[in-house]
């Protein structure tokens, strides 16, 4: 992933046109549930692990029903085969996932043990049905840890960068967490990166009670579309 993404404005415009129908339900649901003045927003920028193992997934936060919404923006750089993210669900409930980005990106939601819970691949059978339910806000997730696996669709060139933004919510939300995941630096150790990410998360959590309210209250669509400006 590069720190600067070319033609961001055009890409966002094209994505808005092609994916508007797919995320209309997410937008409608979250617009109705979230009063703008009550939303607090937090942002962190991290370096992804240099490892391609899900054991070194980038932490994007804690998903709490009617409390938090998690957003992550990233890029599969040329010859970068996979990105992993992790989050924790605090209580059982129906979750919603919103997604925008370049065509040819596969997203899988996995349990703590690595079992695929939902898969954007249309040939994934029940896992694809679960993915569609997740997009509609109708997939129930148990309490526990989850991993998101982002790869290229089969047949996509490994040399082509793929930009994406993914969002998770569970009911309404009053706290909005943005994670901007950048490429690891040359020579980074996956062990060092995991420790650094944990320190960032600890600092972010400790700051929640002291930060002032920021009246964003964006819908899911607005949030994801705007997130691409972080790469400009």
């Amino acid at each position: 992933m590069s720190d600067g993404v070319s033609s961001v404005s055009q890409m966002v415009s094209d994505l808005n046109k092609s994916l508007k129908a797919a995320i209309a339900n997410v937008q409608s649901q979250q617009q109705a549930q979230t009063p703008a003045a009550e939303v607090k927003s937090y942002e962190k920028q991290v370096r992804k692990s240099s490892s391609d193992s899900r054991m070194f997934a980038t932490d994007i936060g804690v998903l709490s029903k009617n409390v938090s919404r998690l957003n992550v923006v990233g890029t599969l750089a040329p010859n970068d085969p996979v990105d992993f993210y992790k989050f924790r669900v605090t209580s059982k409930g129906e979750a919603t996932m919103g997604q925008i980005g370049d065509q040819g990106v596969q997203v899988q939601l996995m349990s703590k043990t690595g079992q695929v819970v939902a898969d954007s691949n249309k040939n994934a059978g029940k896992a694809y049905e679960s993915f569609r339910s997740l997009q509609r806000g109708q997939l129930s997730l148990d309490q526990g840890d989850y991993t998101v696996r982002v790869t290229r669709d089969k047949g996509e060139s490994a040399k082509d960068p793929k930009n994406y933004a993914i969002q998770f919510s569970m009911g309404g939300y009053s706290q909005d967490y943005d994670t901007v995941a950048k490429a690891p630096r040359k020579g980074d150790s996956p062990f060092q990166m995991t420790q650094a990410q944990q320190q960032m998360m600890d600092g972010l959590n400790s700051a929640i009670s002291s930060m002032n309210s920021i009246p964003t209250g964006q819908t899911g669509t607005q949030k994801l579309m705007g997130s691409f400006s972080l790469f400009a």
Side-chain angles (χ1 to χ4, degrees):
M1 180 182 70
S2 61
D3 290 344
V5 178
S6 61
S7 304
V8 173
S9 297
Q10 184 60 47
M11 180 189 69
V12 170
S13 177
D14 292 342
L15 291 172
N16 191 31
K17 294 176 183 178
S18 63
L19 297 176
K20 183 177 180 180
I23 56 180
N25 289 337
V26 179
Q27 177 181 6
S28 176
Q29 178 187 22
Q30 293 178 336
Q31 187 175 28
Q33 290 175 334
T34 309
E38 297 180 6
V39 177
K40 295 181 180 180
S41 292
Y42 309 93
E43 177 189 322
K44 64 173 180 175
Q45 297 192 19
V46 299
R47 294 283 176 178
K48 294 182 292 185
S49 172
S50 58
S51 171
D52 291 334
S53 168
R54 68 182 180 88
M55 300 302 294
F56 298 100
T58 300
D59 195 336
I60 61 173
V62 177
L63 184 60
S64 297
K65 188 174 182 179
N66 295 321
V67 176
S68 59
R69 182 172 70 170
L70 309 179
N71 309 284
V72 59
V73 183
T75 299
L76 284 169
N79 299 314
D80 182 4
V82 62
D83 285 344
F84 285 104
Y85 302 98
K86 63 181 179 180
F87 63 95
R88 175 167 294 180
V89 174
T90 59
S91 61
K92 184 175 182 178
E94 291 185 335
T96 301
M97 193 199 83
Q99 176 194 354
I100 62 170
D102 294 334
Q103 297 294 321
V105 174
Q106 180 181 2
V107 177
Q108 294 174 308
L109 178 64
M110 308 167 69
S111 69
K112 183 177 181 179
T113 60
Q115 180 181 1
V116 176
V117 176
D119 194 331
S120 65
N121 185 345
K122 294 182 179 180
N123 297 319
K126 290 184 178 180
Y128 177 67
E129 294 177 8
S130 295
F131 181 81
R132 296 292 292 155
S133 296
L134 182 60
Q135 289 182 312
R136 294 189 296 266
Q138 299 173 346
L139 182 67
S140 180
L141 297 183
D142 292 330
Q143 178 182 358
D145 298 327
Y146 292 86
T147 303
V148 182
R149 182 176 185 266
V150 183
T151 57
R152 292 174 178 82
D153 284 337
K154 185 177 181 180
E156 293 288 330
S157 173
K159 296 181 180 180
D160 292 336
K162 295 293 185 181
N163 305 296
Y164 58 85
I166 301 172
Q167 179 182 91
F168 289 96
S169 60
M170 187 175 284
Y173 64 96
S174 58
Q175 299 171 6
D176 218 2
Y177 295 90
D178 297 338
T179 298
V180 181
K182 298 186 176 184
R185 296 184 182 90
K186 186 177 181 180
D188 276 347
S189 164
F191 296 97
Q192 293 173 346
M193 183 55 54
T194 300
Q195 182 180 5
Q197 290 172 357
Q198 187 60 53
Q199 290 173 347
M200 284 187 174
M201 179 58 65
D202 291 343
L204 184 64
N205 290 336
S206 66
I208 290 176
S209 60
S210 61
M211 290 188 68
N212 293 327
S213 176
I214 302 175
T216 54
Q218 294 175 303
T219 64
T221 303
Q222 293 168 333
K223 188 70 179 183
L224 289 178
M225 299 309 295
S227 63
F228 281 102
S229 66
L230 298 172
F231 287 106

